Amino acid sequence: MSSVVPNPPNSRSRGNSTLSDSSDRQPRNSTSAAAISATAAAPTPTPTPSVSVSRTVPIPCQIRVDRCRRLPEFGPTLLFFSGGSAIRELSRVLKSYTHNSVHLITPFDSGGSSAEIRRTFDMLSVGDLRNRLLALSDESALGNPEVTALFSYRLDKERAEVARAQLKELLSGRHPLASAVSMPMRSILLSHLRWFASRMPSDFDLRGASVGNLIITGCFLEHDNDIVTAIYLIWTLLGAKGSVRPLT
């Protein structure tokens, strides 16, 4: 009896010869290996160089300061929120370097003639507005220093009868501060002051009253109780070098 020897695994009989299956000997991860090889062969991106530029600037920059001093009309725009006397001295210096400052004033002054005006005419306080307008007024030879002096004047602080006599003299134009203002500026200012005097109650306390406050009040009354218009007119008369607006 003859015996049959089975073919070994992974082999095929072709005639009397035995061939091994070459496909079974190929690696199964040939595709992954090719991808890894291609990735390794890719060029490495060149890093972008960084550039840093620095500059040392002195503060204040003297070049810019000199430029603003020569041409304050083109100075920087600055915004201030404050009361009238808070930055008065700063404003007087600031106007020499820029005419583009904006001042939003809180009109809540409750002392002096401002309180009396608020009580009598039911209007916001004008004392702080007057303070800032005066600080920004044109004090140069081209300005109106006589108008500034008139606005800064206060009536007698102790005696009511003296204060009323001083107001009467101002209204007539005979007071030295009034007569020093040239025409037609004097006529405009006295017109506003007369509007106030014609509506002033008999018990109004004039002691220590600022003439500037009285003029602004008269301007306010003359223009239908419009404080914005009144401020604009006074701003023009004083030649103020900056914008002043009330916060209401």
Side-chain angles (χ1 to χ4, degrees), residues 179-197:
S179 60
V181 180
S182 60
M183 296 291 285
M185 190 77 71
R186 185 199 315 162
S187 178
I188 296 172
L189 293 174
L190 294 184
S191 173
H192 296 324
L193 192 58
R194 291 188 185 104
W195 263 85
F196 165 78

Side-chain angles (χ1 to χ4, degrees), residues 70-150:
R70 289 194 308 271
L71 298 169
E73 300 86 356
F74 302 101
T77 299
L78 304 172
L79 177 63
F80 297 95
F81 293 88
S82 71
S85 59
I87 56 171
R88 178 172 53 194
E89 296 305 317
L90 172 63
S91 298
R92 294 189 66 181
V93 176
L94 183 67
K95 65 187 176 186
S96 298
Y97 295 90
T98 179
H99 296 170
N100 301 312
S101 58
V102 179
H103 303 257
L104 301 182
I105 308 299
T106 53
F108 303 125
D109 182 13
S110 59
S113 58
S114 291
E116 190 72 6
I117 289 171
R118 290 180 64 181
R119 180 187 66 82
T120 303
F121 298 104
D122 191 25
M123 60 182 293
L124 52 79
S125 173
V126 295
D128 287 340
L129 296 167
R130 174 189 55 84
N131 263 324
R132 190 58 53 84
L133 286 167
L134 283 175
L136 295 171
S137 64
D138 188 356
E139 298 177 280
S140 68
L142 300 176
N144 297 298
E146 297 83 9
V147 175
T148 302
L150 179 61

Side-chain angles (χ1 to χ4, degrees), residues 165-176 178-179 186 190 193-194:
Q166 290 172 334
L167 177 60
K168 185 177 180 180
E169 189 179 13
L170 284 167
L171 292 170
S172 68
R174 295 192 302 268
H175 192 285
S179 60
R186 185 199 315 162
L190 294 184
L193 192 58
R194 291 188 185 104

Side-chain angles (χ1 to χ4, degrees), residues 28-75:
R28 296 181 180 179
N29 296 329
S30 59
T31 303
S32 299
I36 293 173
S37 177
T39 303
T44 303
T46 304
T48 304
S50 61
V51 179
S52 177
V53 179
S54 62
R55 178 188 177 195
T56 302
V57 179
I59 299 178
C61 178
Q62 195 59 43
I63 295 176
R64 294 185 177 182
V65 170
D66 293 341
R67 184 187 304 140
C68 291
R69 184 72 175 179
R70 289 194 308 271
L71 298 169
E73 300 86 356
F74 302 101

